[in-house]
Amino acid sequence: MTKMESIDNEFSTGGTPVYSVVWGPDSEKVLYTAGKQLIIKPLQPNAKVLQWKAHDGIILKVDWNSVNDLILSAGEDCKYKVWDSYGRPLYNSQPHEHPITSVAWAPDGELFAVGSFHTLRLCDKTGWSYALEKPNTGSIFNIAWSIDGTQIAGACGNGHVVFAHVVEQRWEWKNFQVTLTKRRAMQVRNVLNDAVDLLEFRDRVIKASLNYAHLVVSTSLQCYVFSTKNWNTPLIFDLKEGTVSLILQAERHFLLVDGGGIYLYSYEGRFISSPKFPGMRTDILNAQTVSLSNDTIAIKDKADEKIIFLFEASTGKPLGDGKLLSHKNEILEIALDQKGLTNDRKIAFIDKNRDLYITSVKRFGKEEQIIKLGTMVHTLAWSDTCNILCGLQDTRFTVWYYPNTVYVDRDILPKTLYERDASEFSKNPHIVSFVGNQVTIRRADGSLIHISISPYPGILHEYVSSSKWEDGVRLCRFVKEQTMWACLAAMAVANRDMTTAEIAYAAIGEIDKVQYINSIKDLPSKESKMAHILMFSGNIQEAEMVLLQAGLVYQAIQININLYNWERALELAVKYKTHVDTVLAYRQKFLETFGKQETNKRYLQYAEGLQIDWEKIKAKIEMEITKEREQSSSSQSSKHIGLKH
């Protein structure tokens, strides 16, 4: 017979009444009230209990959402509050007229409801209020959301049950505004000509998304896809499972998340793929933990929050060699860039320290660099038209016009940024969208602020993606801004156009880099040029590999000598049985310059009994350079012969 073991003593509060208790998202801890205190108690023995004073009166109700991991509390001090799972306050309401008797999260964690005497309030997850109703119900003691998050039922003090529906939701994209006017009806307004279209549905609307010239609407049974060019004939298909909890859009396709899985569809309604991974829980996914681009789907793992799963959009299979993206800290928010080639696809993410990182999603064997872009970043978004990233830092709104600069020339990254004061956005603002050069930010009080950034970096991205380098240079000369020249310099190096890079670096006063680019131009072979361009970007191992594959062993040894990588220089010389005396000679010269004695055992071993003859070494180096020139010219002439045939 099934029994329930009593654990009364486990949760003793010293006789203080417990008015409310709720499970944590991982079902491994509980949150409960004890007078004015909130207590998070892990079920593991000897685990640390988290306790804090949350209200000035007795706490009557708590709720903890599994999607956003945020806590709600309500008390006799007539306030409701929002907390993170560490007990840090995120929102503190103004005192109401009566005690707050109930709070409840919507299943997707985007909204919550608050109940009091003759009062029902609908709030955003950040705390500000969407709507206030004054039903004649007495105190609302308990609130229950429907599983699809569209309806509320309230248990009332006057013996009634009150029902409410969430309406008047709004979605905006460019010149279109869509409003959910009734449970089964939407109104579309084109603000350019004030044209209005009415959209009606067979069943009640559960989720909607408006982006990339398409409106995607899910009802309880079907999915509707509207084009902004034609609102009269939507594409309609039946849903697999039912209640959709999340819709994400990219330029070519969109993603639906429901209780059964993740499904990718084209805007023509064709099913594309359904990525899966071990332990996948779709009920806790949201827009911060899933990201979609034209070729990639990224999903943060809930079981291990340091891991991001990456999938090919077209097949739903793991990307590259199936290697996971793993970070040293828990990840809070992820975002894929939207434009460009699959091989260049980047993902930006914020970790729990509020540091912003960027890395490549294509992972084949070699460990991809995860590079920090910024600190104290609270929210981020990629532009939908080019790979420009924006974020709200501690007191600044920052735009990274070309985030890829960190892979090309990290020194000039600060010159590619646009920054402005963000104090006008008040506390805890959130980036809602980044469409074209327009960024929409929601303040903590719910109001929207629109910021326009310069259109010129976006135009420069377009020129570079089409290899219109001369147009790019002309644009920079017209705009006359350092940020534009710095972006062009990094873009040119990334695309191996050193002529444009030289012009751009000269414009921002980086004379040492101009000289280095000039020295690259004088190199005899294309392999040497490629290797030095890679070195310019800091890719030393790749540069060495290019030279070794081309048989230019001495040049590979020389770049290690130039970088004072003495161990690697000697290792290559010994391995390929060439220029050991050259390495030893340069090492001896280096030590003499600094007045030091040799202490490296390997160098002492190979130097034993060896006489350094600089004349002989110089002759060998000259021979290597001549050989490289001959190889280069012979490969060029063979190409010409091939063309003639």
Side-chain angles (χ1 to χ4, degrees):
M1 184 178 169
T2 306
K3 293 197 298 182
M4 186 175 283
E5 183 186 356
S6 173
I7 50 171
D8 293 345
N9 296 331
E10 193 76 25
F11 294 86
S12 173
T13 60
T16 307
V18 175
Y19 284 96
S20 186
V21 64
V22 65
W23 284 100
D26 55 7
S27 299
E28 292 181 359
K29 44 186 169 294
V30 292
L31 165 71
Y32 60 96
T33 69
K36 301 174 184 179
Q37 307 279 320
L38 283 180
I39 300 168
I40 296 176
K41 168 78 177 171
L43 298 187
Q44 298 94 339
N46 305 319
K48 188 181 177 185
V49 175
L50 182 63
Q51 180 172 346
W52 71 97
K53 185 189 174 187
H55 286 260
D56 295 323
I58 291 171
I59 301 168
L60 301 174
K61 196 74 176 175
V62 289
D63 197 11
W64 196 343
N65 186 262
S66 59
V67 178
N68 60 31
D69 200 24
L70 298 179
I71 292 166
L72 290 174
S73 64
E76 288 189 345
D77 60 357
C78 306
K79 292 181 179 181
Y80 63 88
K81 299 186 180 185
V82 184
W83 313 85
D84 69 12
S85 56
Y86 301 101
R88 293 179 294 212
L90 301 178
Y91 182 82
N92 185 355
S93 78
Q94 294 295 317
H96 288 58
E97 290 180 36
H98 303 283
I100 308 294
T101 47
S102 56
V103 283
W105 281 110
D108 65 3
E110 292 298 313
L111 303 169
F112 65 87
V114 178
S116 183
F117 183 74
H118 289 346
T119 303
L120 181 62
R121 187 182 287 277
L122 182 69
C123 299
D124 186 78
K125 64 183 175 185
T126 54
W128 57 273
S129 180
Y130 274 106
L132 175 66
E133 296 293 329
K134 287 284 190 178
N136 191 20
T137 54
S139 291
I140 298 174
F141 289 114
N142 197 33
I143 295 170
W145 283 84
S146 62
I147 193 75
D148 58 21
T150 63
Q151 301 172 94
I152 298 168
C156 308
N158 65 356
H160 293 170
V161 175
V162 65
F163 294 93
H165 301 276
V166 178
V167 291
E168 293 294 327
Q169 285 177 278
R170 280 189 178 84
W171 298 267
E172 292 179 0
W173 181 78
K174 291 192 175 177
N175 51 298
F176 293 99
Q177 185 183 72
V178 177
T179 307
L180 181 67
T181 52
K182 297 176 184 174
R183 284 184 290 162
R184 296 187 180 92
M186 284 177 156
Q187 184 190 78
V188 181
R189 183 179 295 278
N190 185 341
V191 297
L192 292 181
N193 55 16
D194 228 22
V196 174
D197 289 275
L198 295 175
L199 314 178
E200 294 190 341
F201 305 91
R202 195 182 70 186
D203 309 291
R204 70 176 181 274
V205 172
I206 291 173
K207 283 280 172 189
S209 177
L210 176 62
N211 217 333
Y212 295 102
H214 288 89
L215 171 68
V216 182
V217 180
S218 75
T219 66
S220 49
L221 296 172
Q222 293 175 309
C223 180
Y224 294 72
V225 183
F226 297 86
S227 167
T228 55
K229 294 172 185 172
N230 180 8
W231 297 103
N232 300 319
T233 52
L235 187 139
I236 307 169
F237 60 89
D238 293 338
L239 293 168
K240 291 184 186 293
E241 292 289 331
T243 306
V244 170
S245 58
L246 180 67
I247 302 173
L248 286 181
Q249 290 178 256
E251 186 181 15
R252 294 181 195 159
H253 42 232
F254 64 94
L255 195 72
L256 299 180
V257 179
D258 65 21
I262 299 167
Y263 310 99
L264 190 70
Y265 291 91
S266 72
Y267 287 111
E268 291 76 43
R270 180 175 57 85
F271 173 72
I272 299 171
S273 66
S274 179
K276 292 179 175 64
F277 57 88
M280 182 172 79
R281 282 184 58 194
T282 55
D283 59 321
I284 56 174
L285 298 177
N286 62 13
Q288 282 72 50
T289 56
V290 185
S291 188
L292 176 68
S293 72
N294 282 337
D295 43 54
T296 310
I297 302 167
I299 306 169
K300 189 187 85 170
D301 188 12
K302 186 67 179 177
D304 182 354
E305 299 201 37
K306 297 176 182 177
I307 286 173
I308 299 171
F309 292 99
L310 299 164
F311 301 94
E312 282 181 6
S314 57
T315 63
K317 293 177 181 174
L319 198 66
D321 57 6
K323 203 173 178 185
L324 303 172
L325 196 164
S326 181
H327 186 52
K328 59 189 175 185
N329 294 318
E330 286 90 348
I331 295 165
L332 299 180
E333 187 173 345
I334 64 174
L336 288 162
D337 65 11
Q338 296 299 307
K339 304 300 276 188
L341 302 172
T342 309
N343 286 340
D344 298 328
R345 182 72 56 236
K346 298 289 187 293
I347 185 167
F349 61 86
I350 301 170
D351 70 10
K352 72 169 186 179
N353 295 330
R354 293 288 170 190
D355 290 330
L356 172 63
Y357 290 87
I358 189 170
T359 188
S360 177
V361 300
K362 277 278 186 178
R363 313 175 92 69
F364 285 102
K366 65 172 186 156
E367 193 61 42
E368 289 290 343
Q369 282 184 298
I370 298 177
I371 302 176
K372 188 190 286 191
L373 270 182
T375 57
M376 295 303 291
V377 180
H378 301 283
T379 174
L380 78 158
W382 288 97
S383 169
D384 65 339
T385 51
C386 55
N387 291 337
I388 295 176
L389 179 67
C390 73
L392 284 163
Q393 292 184 268
D394 198 17
T395 56
R396 302 185 310 284
F397 170 69
T398 306
V399 181
W400 290 265
Y401 283 136
Y402 187 56
N404 210 32
T405 305
V406 292
Y407 289 97
V408 178
D409 184 356
R410 213 178 298 190
D411 297 342
I412 64 166
L413 180 67
K415 293 181 179 179
T416 64
L417 306 183
Y418 165 74
E419 292 184 306
R420 60 173 277 182
D421 181 49
S423 55
E424 65 179 286
F425 307 138
S426 71
K427 193 181 174 188
N428 293 330
H430 177 73
I431 297 171
V432 177
S433 65
F434 188 178
V435 178
N437 64 322
Q438 186 95 358
V439 182
T440 304
I441 294 169
R442 194 181 289 283
R443 300 194 338 167
D445 61 2
S447 60
L448 292 173
I449 294 175
H450 301 282
I451 298 174
S452 291
I453 64 166
S454 169
Y456 297 121
I459 298 168
L460 186 63
H461 273 272
E462 284 178 33
Y463 283 152
V464 170
S465 64
S466 308
S467 298
K468 295 178 179 176
W469 296 104
E470 288 180 8
D471 290 342
V473 171
R474 272 198 293 273
L475 178 67
C476 291
R477 283 179 177 148
F478 169 73
V479 177
K480 295 176 184 171
E481 282 184 10
Q482 181 177 260
T483 48
M484 291 286 288
W485 283 115
C487 287
L488 182 62
M491 290 169 175
V493 174
N495 289 277
R496 316 281 189 251
D497 189 313
M498 302 317 280
T499 305
T500 306
E502 186 181 357
I503 296 166
Y505 274 115
I508 56 174
E510 299 276 346
I511 304 306
D512 54 335
K513 287 171 184 173
V514 173
Q515 289 171 339
Y516 186 69
I517 290 166
N518 268 322
S519 70
I520 293 173
K521 285 181 179 177
D522 295 334
L523 292 168
S525 68
K526 65 173 189 201
E527 290 84 5
S528 278
K529 287 175 183 172
M530 175 60 74
H532 279 80
I533 292 167
L534 287 165
M535 279 179 63
F536 186 93
S537 304
N539 300 317
I540 312 303
Q541 286 177 313
E542 286 181 50
E544 186 187 284
M545 201 184 301
V546 166
L547 292 170
L548 292 174
Q549 284 172 351
L552 301 172
V553 178
Y554 167 70
Q555 284 79 351
I557 293 168
Q558 187 64 52
I559 63 170
N560 281 291
I561 291 171
N562 293 343
L563 294 167
Y564 307 117
N565 292 341
W566 297 110
E567 290 275 357
R568 181 62 179 160
L570 185 59
E571 187 185 322
L572 287 172
V574 171
K575 181 179 176 181
Y576 290 95
K577 298 176 183 171
T578 181
H579 286 282
V580 175
D581 57 341
T582 307
V583 176
L584 292 169
Y586 277 108
R587 171 74 171 180
Q588 190 184 68
K589 191 176 180 183
F590 168 76
L591 292 170
E592 283 172 3
T593 305
F594 291 97
K596 292 188 174 182
Q597 292 293 316
E598 185 61 80
T599 54
N600 188 302
K601 287 180 182 176
R602 289 201 74 194
Y603 272 92
L604 287 168
Q605 177 192 335
Y606 284 100
E608 198 174 330
L610 187 74
Q611 291 294 317
I612 302 296
D613 185 346
W614 272 105
E615 290 301 319
K616 189 178 172 185
I617 288 165
K618 282 176 184 173
K620 279 172 72 177
I621 293 169
E622 283 293 329
M623 200 184 296
E624 290 285 357
I625 293 165
T626 306
K627 190 169 111 184
E628 185 184 351
R629 281 204 181 96
E630 286 170 357
Q631 271 183 5
S632 178
S633 60
S634 65
S635 67
Q636 288 293 327
S637 60
S638 64
K639 273 185 190 172
H640 290 307
I641 291 163
L643 283 169
K644 282 174 186 173
H645 283 294

